[in-house]
Amino acid sequence: MQISHLARAVLAVACTVGSFVPLAARADYPDRPISLIVGYPAGGSVDLTARLFGEELAKKLGQSVVIENVGGAGGTIGAQRASRAQPDGYTLLVGSSNEMAIAAMVNPAVKYDGAKDFTALGVIASQPLLLTASKSSGVTSAAQYLDKLRGQSPGTYNFGSSGVGTSLHLAGEMVNQSTGTHAEHVPYRGVAPLVTDLMSGQLTFGVLVLSSGLPQVRGDKVVALGVTEKKRSPVAPDIPALAETPGFENVDINVWFALYGPAGLPQPVAAKLRAAVADVLKSEEFRRKMQDAGGELAESGLDPVRFQATETAKYAALVKAARIEAP
């Protein structure tokens, strides 16, 4: 059969365009293991979320998902590596609010943009934070916290977090702003030394991720004053939300986890990964495992780009009001 000159021209153009489509977009993606970067050491809330999510993602994609812990600088080293990876869908990142939305606001050393340098693929889950008190403080409720801090001069009381500009730090600043009180921030290099000082009474108050604080509360080593989301957590329904106490009504903050690829991810690959995230969020087994770990799955159909923009604006307002700067 003869092919017309027009048909040959169309075919030639199609072949030329097709030659510039990344291989991952044309192949049966994924056809080899996927590396899932976590910007923290093993054992933390981001790492645990990534491992549970990675197991489910592997089932949905029919390919192995290998966790790569790239710890350091509050998650930013791992995020930077992911941003510079080949945009083929084989290097992904489970990022949290800390390194994806807050870090660049408080640390000029961060050289990536959490929105522009990544392809947002889906919000996975979130965890509330927990305002705690040392046993020696004598404070056992959010109302008593207010009674103790009101009328006191700045610096009289303090609260600890896992570092400057983390979600934990911003939660403490949100409590300050919402209640009109002032507890001085004490940054720690991680949660372990923070908990140690809380238990010994060297630190009066502390903000912890729920999964980190709950074992200490259940072990009667620290006192839970309330979770930082508007509603109680199904993981610990006996712990009130801070917002239930007059004066704390505007406290609403958490730490969230989302899946990202580098910027420029081919549309077919991004679409397949977004569909896989949606399928994982429908898994009751995954929901149960995340709840056991202190987390709650993201809402179905949540737009990750719009979500991150809204969260970033909230954090920016907190950072500006509290005048937070890198140490």
Side-chain angles (χ1 to χ4, degrees):
M1 182 175 69
Q2 296 294 319
I3 301 177
S4 69
H5 291 297
L6 178 60
R8 287 195 182 94
V10 171
L11 183 60
V13 170
C15 290
T16 302
V17 172
S19 67
F20 289 99
V21 176
L23 180 60
R26 291 185 283 130
D28 186 18
Y29 172 84
D31 60 0
R32 64 179 189 271
I34 294 170
S35 176
L36 190 56
I37 292 177
V38 178
Y40 300 87
S45 58
V46 184
D47 175 71
L48 181 56
T49 299
R51 290 181 186 279
L52 294 177
F53 175 76
E55 290 176 5
E56 294 298 320
L57 184 65
K59 295 176 187 176
K60 303 303 180 185
L61 295 177
Q63 189 57 257
S64 299
V65 174
V66 181
I67 303 298
E68 183 181 357
N69 293 97
V70 185
T76 60
I77 293 176
Q80 181 167 295
R81 179 181 293 189
S83 73
R84 295 177 177 177
Q86 183 73 19
D88 56 10
Y90 289 97
T91 301
L92 305 174
L93 170 76
V94 169
S96 74
S97 43
N98 290 342
E99 67 273 18
M100 299 309 295
I102 303 171
M105 300 178 192
V106 301
N107 188 355
V110 174
K111 301 303 182 185
Y112 61 83
D113 185 304
K116 296 179 182 178
D117 294 331
F118 296 87
T119 301
L121 299 169
V123 184
I124 301 169
S126 65
Q127 274 201 46
L129 305 170
L130 183 66
L131 179 63
T132 61
S134 66
K135 298 279 290 185
S136 61
S137 70
V139 175
T140 59
S141 68
Q144 289 181 5
Y145 175 95
L146 281 187
D147 289 342
K148 201 171 189 72
L149 268 75
R150 278 179 172 158
Q152 300 296 325
S153 59
T156 304
Y157 293 101
N158 54 36
F159 77 91
S161 84
S162 56
V164 173
T166 61
S167 297
L168 284 68
H169 179 193
L170 294 194
E173 296 294 353
M174 181 178 278
V175 168
N176 281 344
Q177 293 176 32
S178 299
T179 60
T181 61
H182 184 84
E184 196 74 24
H185 177 233
V186 180
Y188 284 79
R189 290 184 177 274
V191 172
L194 187 166
V195 170
T196 298
D197 279 3
L198 261 180
M199 290 191 299
S200 69
Q202 293 185 59
L203 183 68
T204 316
F205 304 107
V207 180
L208 304 169
V209 177
L210 182 61
S211 59
S212 300
L214 205 52
Q216 316 306 326
V217 173
R218 299 289 191 239
D220 198 32
K221 296 176 180 178
V222 302
V223 179
L225 303 182
V227 295
T228 61
E229 289 183 331
K230 285 283 188 182
K231 63 183 185 303
R232 298 192 182 201
S233 169
V235 178
D238 55 318
I239 299 177
L242 288 173
E244 295 176 25
T245 300
F248 289 88
E249 294 92 344
N250 295 323
V251 174
D252 187 18
I253 190 170
N254 59 23
V255 58
W256 46 261
F257 316 98
L259 182 67
Y260 298 88
L265 207 60
Q267 194 280 330
V269 174
K272 189 164 187 176
L273 286 167
R274 289 185 179 117
V277 173
D279 284 345
V280 170
L281 294 181
K282 296 174 185 176
S283 167
E284 285 303 317
E285 181 181 4
F286 181 58
R287 180 181 299 278
R288 178 182 55 77
K289 288 180 179 179
M290 283 301 303
Q291 285 190 344
D292 289 346
E296 190 169 354
L297 298 194
E299 297 176 12
S300 177
L302 189 63
D303 183 332
V305 176
R306 185 177 300 173
F307 171 82
Q308 184 165 328
T310 300
E311 289 289 291
T312 300
K314 177 172 70 178
Y315 300 140
L318 279 170
V319 168
K320 182 178 179 180
R323 300 179 180 177
I324 300 172
E325 297 179 354

